[in-house]
Amino acid sequence: MNIFSRFFSRDKPKNATAGAAYQFFFGGTSAGQNVNERTAMQMTAVYACVRVLAEAVAGLPLHVYRYGKDGGRERATEHPLYFLLHDEPNPEMTSFIFRETLMTHLLLWGNAYAQIIRSGRNDVVALYPLMPNRMRVDRDERGHLFYEYTVIGDEAKTMKGATVRLSAADVLHIPGLGYDGIVGYSPIAMARNAIGMGLACESYGAAFFANGAAPGGVLEHPGTLKDPSKVRASWEAVYGGTHHAHRIAVLEEGMKYTPIGIAPNEAQFLETRKFQIDEIARIFRVPPHMVGDLEKSTFSNIEQQSLEFVKYTLAPWLSRWEQAMARALLLPEEKKTCFIKFNVEGLLRGDYQSRMNGYAVARQNGWMSANDIRALENLDRIPAEEGGDLYLINGNMTKLKDAGLFAGKEQDSDEEVLDVEPDGGAGGNAGADARAARCHRGGQLAR
């Protein structure tokens, strides 16, 4: 009775560490559809949103960096984590597949887990994904977190035993939005009525076309039928199904067909389906044009929407990944000198003309060299002896404190000329020579 009392309770779900997975009691929704993390993927809008976010996170370059002495940063390619995160987290997966899998778990279950395999020196040597619906998070008698994972027959045997208890140091846990900051809630669970309505619309549409794209109705007979089921079966065999749609019906013995269903346009079927696509995109904060809805997208705003996707949708997820990996994978002494970072510069790149204009400004103002620009465009480097690493600036630019310096020197020269003796002696000849030299230097300005 405890389960049923919790199921029918109107209290909001409590986010306790004793259970990472949101429990779908019988999976029912207000729309009458069975919704869980797996069935939700049957809705095209959910599948598209999950795929867009998972592939975006998986496709970004992921590097381990080390702080430089001059305040800069450099890639720590010799670090043991670099190869694991950038290339192969384990011998069975590439980095793309590993991150795509964990991001899918994070979007559907609200939590992503991976087992950390360490060497005798405490270095991370492998990362293996764990199914969120098989994980239980709890605290021991001393208040320390532990992870209890159940292994079933259809999963890879990465661990021995039916149930394995893992310490917090052995699990990479990336939680989604939650109430206690430890365990995240499933977005599918929180929005299961909206997703259920979308599934109901798809089921209604499929049934509508399966019944010949005609609403249900009543066959009226003026007399009494001895076997109505036989007449119904005969009618469905001849006129039911999409392959029998629009056939001419022949009624005998004074029978009459009266439709009683509501037409799809009267029930706003298409409008409801479209609204549910926007609703699902709103749950995952994905621009509608990225899941195929181009109604409100134009050539002038679609690029801006793509940039907003990176800043407001993708960036928070990347921060969760970066901070969770740094917390679980870096040793305490390494956290002061190393960090893990996704490179999103490729997603923030504009069109070709915008990039070239930006490079021109950077080149002319001296904070990018030719090789810096060529590296961003995936071009070969220009040898240093040919000037590829030179930083150049415009020659007509000067420091603010030097503004008017030339005019001050000109004024000093004029004062020296005024001191020349007026009688045209030796001093007069020197003054004439100085004026001639000044005219030669100043050109039109001196004259």
Side-chain angles (χ1 to χ4, degrees), residues 106-398:
L106 187 55
L107 293 169
L108 295 177
W109 280 275
N111 295 275
Y113 303 95
Q115 184 188 7
I116 303 174
I117 308 297
R118 299 183 184 271
S119 65
R121 297 185 302 175
N122 208 25
D123 293 332
V124 180
V125 296
L127 297 169
Y128 287 91
L130 301 174
M131 289 299 298
N133 60 331
R134 300 294 174 184
M135 183 69 74
R136 188 175 72 91
V137 186
D138 207 341
R139 296 185 184 272
D140 58 19
E141 60 278 1
R142 294 182 295 176
H144 297 162
L145 287 175
F146 69 86
Y147 295 80
E148 194 172 78
Y149 187 72
T150 302
V151 181
I152 58 177
D154 60 349
E155 296 183 22
K157 300 295 185 180
T158 58
M159 297 175 295
K160 296 181 180 180
T163 302
V164 179
R165 174 178 286 198
L166 302 171
S167 65
D170 295 329
V171 177
L172 169 61
H173 179 198
I174 308 173
L177 179 65
Y179 292 156
D180 64 354
I182 298 176
V183 178
Y185 274 136
S186 166
I188 304 301
M190 296 295 101
R192 60 177 182 170
N193 280 328
I195 297 173
M197 187 173 181
L199 292 173
C201 289
E202 291 186 355
S203 298
Y204 174 82
F208 173 74
F209 286 102
N211 291 324
V218 176
L219 281 175
E220 301 181 15
H221 192 277
T224 301
L225 293 176
K226 297 182 179 180
D227 193 356
S229 59
K230 184 177 181 180
V231 177
R232 183 188 304 110
S234 176
W235 175 271
E236 292 179 350
V238 177
Y239 304 109
T242 54
H243 54 289
H244 292 156
H246 307 296
R247 296 185 66 177
I248 298 176
V250 179
L251 303 179
E252 302 179 275
E253 300 180 0
M255 296 180 63
K256 180 181 179 182
Y257 177 78
T258 304
I260 60 174
I262 301 177
N265 59 337
E266 297 176 2
Q268 297 183 340
F269 171 64
L270 296 179
E271 289 83 355
T272 302
R273 288 207 63 188
K274 185 181 181 308
F275 176 79
Q276 289 309 115
I277 294 177
D278 295 337
E279 190 80 353
I280 301 305
R282 186 181 299 117
I283 295 171
F284 293 99
R285 201 190 297 177
V286 173
H289 77 273
M290 300 191 74
V291 294
D293 184 4
L294 301 176
E295 180 179 0
K296 297 182 180 179
S297 298
T298 63
F299 288 105
S300 60
N301 68 7
I302 197 167
E303 181 179 359
Q304 185 62 32
Q305 292 184 49
S306 299
L307 295 177
E308 291 181 354
F309 168 75
V310 177
K311 293 191 296 183
Y312 302 120
T313 302
L314 202 56
W317 288 115
L318 299 182
S319 296
R320 292 180 187 273
W321 274 81
E322 293 166 354
Q323 296 180 15
M325 288 187 295
R327 181 189 62 83
L329 303 180
L330 292 177
L331 298 177
E333 59 273 14
E334 292 177 337
K335 295 178 181 179
K336 302 176 182 179
T337 58
C338 299
F339 65 96
I340 302 171
K341 191 73 175 177
F342 285 94
N343 187 354
V344 298
E345 293 179 357
L347 296 179
L348 294 175
R349 293 170 51 162
D351 57 86
Y352 184 80
Q353 181 178 359
S354 300
R355 297 200 312 274
M356 294 303 108
N357 292 336
Y359 293 151
V361 173
R363 179 71 165 148
Q364 294 170 8
N365 288 278
W367 53 275
M368 289 188 77
S369 67
N371 283 335
D372 294 336
I373 298 173
R374 294 177 68 86
L376 293 177
E377 292 294 322
N378 293 322
L379 300 175
D380 294 335
R381 293 175 57 86
I382 298 175
E385 56 272 13
E386 297 181 11
D389 294 326
L390 292 178
Y391 293 88
L392 309 176
I393 60 172
N394 287 322
N396 60 345
M397 300 179 67
T398 185

